[in-house]
């Protein structure tokens, strides 16, 4: 599975850790920056990942900033993107099962790397239920 990932400066260090974790698990990872932990604008990096998803160049995305809030707001402006801001494992599981989320957002200033890896694993390992009610509700997004 191809995963596109990006962060701003606030999420840079956690992004590098998540990339190492994903590669160790055998995922194909596209790192869309930022490449150095220098102040930058998170919407530009959210767009790189949403572009990968809408172009079919990645199946899932991960976006990390200080809080995860700005990244999720920016990503969810894009039709077809369902970005879920998750800081607990329950939400990560439900975001896939119920909402068929295609981008995981996390805040590096909110949670530590241990929990971030558990959330990431849960997000990647959980499948959409395909239940009719969830399909119907998602179709009502736009
Ligand atoms: C950067 O200081 C910070 O605003 C950003 O990482 C993010 O938290 C925005 O939502």
């Amino acid at each position: 599975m191809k995963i596109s990932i990006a962060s701003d400066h606030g999420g840079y260090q956690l992004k590098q850790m998540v990339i190492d974790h994903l590669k160790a698990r055998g995922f194909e990872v596209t790192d869309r920056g930022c490449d150095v932990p220098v102040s930058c604008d998170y919407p530009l990096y959210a767009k790189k990942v949403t572009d990968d998803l809408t172009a079919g160049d990645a199946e899932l995305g991960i976006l990390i900033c200080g809080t995860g809030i700005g990244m999720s707001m920016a990503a969810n402006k894009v039709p077809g993107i369902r970005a879920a801001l998750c800081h607990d494992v329950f939400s990560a599981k439900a975001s896939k099962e119920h909402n068929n989320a295609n981008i995981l957002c996390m805040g590096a200033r909110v949670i530590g790397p241990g929990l971030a890896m558990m959330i990431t694993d849960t997000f990647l390992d959980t499948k959409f239920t395909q239940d009719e009610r969830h399909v119907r509700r998602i179709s009502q997004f736009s």
Side-chain angles (χ1 to χ4, degrees):
M1 186 196 297
K2 273 192 180 179
I3 300 168
S4 179
I5 185 168
S7 75
D8 71 354
H9 54 289
Y12 173 81
Q13 284 183 328
L14 181 58
K15 171 174 69 79
Q16 300 311 119
M17 287 186 248
V18 172
I19 289 171
D20 289 346
H21 181 73
L22 295 175
K23 287 183 174 170
R25 284 200 53 186
F27 291 106
E28 195 177 333
V29 182
T30 305
D31 181 2
R32 294 299 187 194
C34 62
D35 298 325
V36 285
V38 172
S39 183
C40 58
D41 297 341
Y42 59 81
L44 305 180
Y45 293 91
K47 186 173 187 314
K48 291 171 193 281
V49 167
T50 59
D51 281 352
D52 278 344
L53 265 71
T54 55
D57 292 332
E59 289 174 67
L60 294 174
I62 298 177
L63 289 169
I64 305 171
C65 61
T67 60
I69 296 170
M71 284 294 200
S72 61
M73 287 179 169
N76 278 317
K77 291 288 184 188
V78 179
I81 295 299
R82 294 176 299 280
L85 174 57
C86 299
H87 289 138
D88 65 274
V89 170
F90 178 86
S91 298
K93 190 164 185 284
S95 78
K96 289 293 286 296
E97 285 181 340
H98 291 205
N99 313 113
N100 198 15
N102 49 18
I103 293 183
L104 169 65
C105 300
M106 295 185 288
R109 295 173 185 159
V110 182
I111 54 172
L115 179 55
M117 299 315 153
M118 288 180 72
I119 289 169
T120 299
D121 284 341
T122 302
F123 184 81
L124 297 176
D125 295 342
T126 304
K127 301 231 174 315
F128 181 45
T129 61
Q130 307 274 0
D131 286 350
E132 190 277 332
R133 70 184 190 284
H134 294 314
V135 172
R136 183 182 67 246
R137 289 164 187 163
I138 290 166
S139 77
Q140 293 168 2
F141 283 175
S142 54

